[in-house]
Amino acid sequence: MSISTTRPSSTQHGGGTTPPSGPRVAGPYVSGPARMAPAPRIPLWAAALFVAALLCAGLLLERTSAVRQYRFVSLDMATKKDALGSPRKRQLLAEMGLPDVHAVAPENTAHTAALLEQARRDADPAMVASGWPVFAVRTDEASLNDPETGINVNHKERGREWERPAAVVYYRDGQERLATGVGLRLHGGGSRDLGISYRVYFRNAYGAPAQPADVFFPGTEGTLKRLVLRKEKTTSPGFINMLGLDIMGMLGAETPRFVPAVFSVNGKDMGLSLVSEHIADAHWKRRLGHDNFLLYSIRKGNDRAEFAALRELYLWIRLMPAPLTMPQAERRMDLRSMCAIIFGAVYMGENDWDQGALLLDKTQPDPRWTNIAWDLDQAFQHLSPTAPLERRPGWKFAMDEAKAVRMRLFLRLWKEAPEFRTWFLRYVVDALNHTLRPSERERMIAPYVAMERQLGREMFDQDMAAAMLAARPVQVMEETVRDLGAPAWSTVHVSSSCPVRIDDMADYTEYTGRYFMGQTVRLHATPQDGKRFSHWEANGVRHSGPDMELTVERATAIRAVFTDI
């Protein structure tokens, strides 16, 4: 018997069976239990094509913004969000093939404690007893040197994925101040392959939250979530980064807080080092007390907003019609901090100076970029107290950065704005004559001499440092005339039996200043106990009154005359 393959218009009743509604099937239809038609055979080429289509669809889906955002959020939840190692975080880490690094997880707590004990054994008792800041860092050897996952081996890699669990013990004034689990990352730019600089992160996930800043930098406020431990790359004359940051700060640039220290990593003594704040968004948020700012890091990756803002500044400097004026530039850039970094690099012979960051605090009534200095490990390496002018780099390293934002603005102002040239040359002579005068240089060097003696190690050639810095006032004046075309210069010597003020600066009894021709030197004398001011003598010519302003046209000798009351 055969049946019709036409589908009935309604369902059969009374125990009848409804024939299949799929494709027409040839052959007899047998009543009774339902019998399925045989599945069609799929050609092998069609199956392969289908699998390939699925793979392509998966690859395309992987590249969509939705999936990328999901993976980013998952990674952020699993690693960056500073919370305890929850099951959800562990699940996300497992999905992404990342290890569970949270030291507070039960299986990791014992390991962190073992690393801390090893770190305590690493700390040199003599260094601890000296009172110096001492950091002993311990981590698994694989975290440093494993070919696949070690941060020293894979020194080009960056980010939270390349942070490894570690432990640090910190001593100051001979006492243990901190012992905790931390996150450890490699730090630096071109020196990353040397394995001499690290960052440590304080996170709840490792067992310690942000630390009070005064634990590391006595007398400072706020908290810190990360520190930089940076070995001094060059040793002559010693304390190079620290002296460089001292000078930059004195000249008017922003600098991170820092202290000299020694540290070890897995028992390896790194020697004389710098411990400093890490200049990053989180740091400035704590320092400013708000997050309404832009922080552009030179030579590093930046977010879209920072990049766009700096690009706008760069284009403004490049395309602004000439002549560019000093007031126009001041509305966009803090010229003092900009010139501090440029002039400071010249003063120290720094050949790798265009680093650091620019900060724009948008809460200010008239926001403008401020310059931040860091990484001065090449300072003093091209200076000699006795080198003749033709063998000194002078402004060369600054001119090499002529296309950088700061130097491009400086050069436009120098060429187009007479008021800037006048202001900057005054800035130079005030820096050399007063800010970095001999007494200030001695005061700056003295703590490092004391620290070296305290530690009992040869770390600082203070005679070399003093000779280099003592030679720089004359050398910089000569170099500025040669390289920038500044006017010729001459000396002004002042002597007095009682302190007198010069250029509205400090009180002097003996003073030798250097001035470009046409600049003025201002002097003010006040009566002293048992003494009455009489008059000034400038190259033998008498000047009455306690105030005198003299235009420098040649070498000048000035004497303040006081008489007994």
Side-chain angles (χ1 to χ4, degrees), residues 277-531:
E277 300 169 309
H278 180 232
I279 302 297
D281 286 347
H283 161 76
W284 279 101
K285 182 177 179 179
R286 285 177 168 79
R287 193 153 166 176
L288 295 175
H290 63 82
D291 60 1
N292 190 17
F293 63 87
L294 297 176
L295 182 69
Y296 182 90
S297 295
I298 299 173
R299 300 190 184 180
K300 294 184 180 179
N302 292 278
D303 291 338
R304 184 177 299 174
E306 282 78 6
F307 178 83
L310 234 290
R311 180 67 177 171
E312 188 274 335
L313 175 65
Y314 175 84
L315 291 174
W316 179 85
I317 295 169
R318 181 181 173 186
L319 302 176
M320 186 71 180
L324 181 63
T325 68
M326 189 173 175
Q328 287 173 329
E330 282 182 312
R331 285 195 288 270
R332 291 175 174 261
M333 178 73 79
D334 173 25
L335 295 181
R336 183 172 180 80
S337 66
M338 181 190 80
C339 289
I341 288 182
I342 295 172
F343 175 73
V346 173
Y347 179 82
M348 293 182 282
E350 169 72 38
N351 70 326
D352 190 24
W353 67 271
D354 191 35
Q355 300 191 65
L358 294 101
L359 175 74
L360 184 70
D361 184 351
K362 298 171 77 171
T363 66
Q364 296 299 313
D366 298 302
R368 57 182 181 168
W369 292 97
T370 297
N371 293 262
I372 305 170
W374 70 51
D375 192 6
L376 300 170
D377 58 8
Q378 291 298 309
F380 311 109
Q381 301 310 293
H382 302 275
L383 300 184
S384 168
T386 59
L389 177 60
E390 63 270 15
R391 293 180 55 191
R392 300 198 301 264
W395 283 77
K396 174 189 181 305
F397 300 134
M399 298 298 187
D400 287 347
E401 301 291 348
K403 294 184 178 180
V405 168
R406 291 184 290 217
M407 199 61 195
R408 183 181 286 271
L409 178 57
F410 176 90
L411 290 175
R412 280 208 62 182
L413 288 169
W414 178 259
K415 294 174 183 177
E416 301 172 23
E419 71 272 33
F420 176 78
R421 290 197 296 272
T422 299
W423 176 87
F424 179 72
L425 291 178
R426 189 74 215 188
Y427 171 87
V428 169
V429 300
D430 284 345
L432 296 174
N433 293 337
H434 303 292
T435 305
L436 299 168
R437 63 187 182 272
S439 61
E440 287 300 303
R441 297 197 303 266
E442 292 171 6
R443 183 190 61 79
M444 179 177 63
I445 288 175
Y448 301 112
V449 175
M451 289 175 182
E452 180 189 50
R453 292 173 180 166
Q454 179 184 358
L455 187 58
R457 284 190 177 187
E458 293 292 330
M459 291 184 167
F460 187 37
D461 189 339
Q462 58 264 31
D463 293 334
M464 175 188 289
M468 284 181 175
L469 295 178
R472 287 310 283 158
V474 169
Q475 291 179 342
V476 169
M477 296 295 283
E478 293 174 343
E479 293 159 9
T480 305
V481 172
R482 180 193 68 183
D483 299 337
L484 291 186
W489 62 277
S490 193
T491 58
V492 174
H493 180 73
V494 179
S495 61
S496 175
S497 58
C498 297
V500 295
R501 290 188 67 77
I502 301 175
D503 298 329
D504 302 320
M505 299 291 185
D507 293 334
Y508 298 89
T509 55
E510 291 292 329
Y511 169 82
T512 298
R514 296 156 188 89
Y515 297 83
F516 295 104
M517 297 299 187
Q519 291 183 321
T520 59
V521 56
R522 301 180 302 278
L523 303 105
H524 173 74
T526 56
Q528 305 291 319
D529 291 341
K531 297 286 186 178

Side-chain angles (χ1 to χ4, degrees), residues 71-92:
R71 291 185 61 81
F72 174 81
V73 171
S74 296
L75 181 64
D76 190 68
M77 290 175 61
T79 61
K80 294 183 179 179
K81 297 296 182 182
D82 194 9
L84 304 183
S86 67
R88 175 57 176 158
K89 290 168 72 71
R90 293 187 179 191
Q91 178 187 345
L92 290 169

Side-chain angles (χ1 to χ4, degrees), residues 170-183:
Y170 163 58
Y171 302 88
R172 195 187 77 217
D173 299 327
Q175 299 179 352
E176 183 179 299
R177 303 283 178 160
L178 183 69
T180 184
V182 294

Side-chain angles (χ1 to χ4, degrees), residues 247-261:
I247 290 170
M248 286 294 191
M250 292 166 69
L251 291 173
E254 284 281 356
T255 63
R257 289 174 284 204
F258 67 92
V259 293

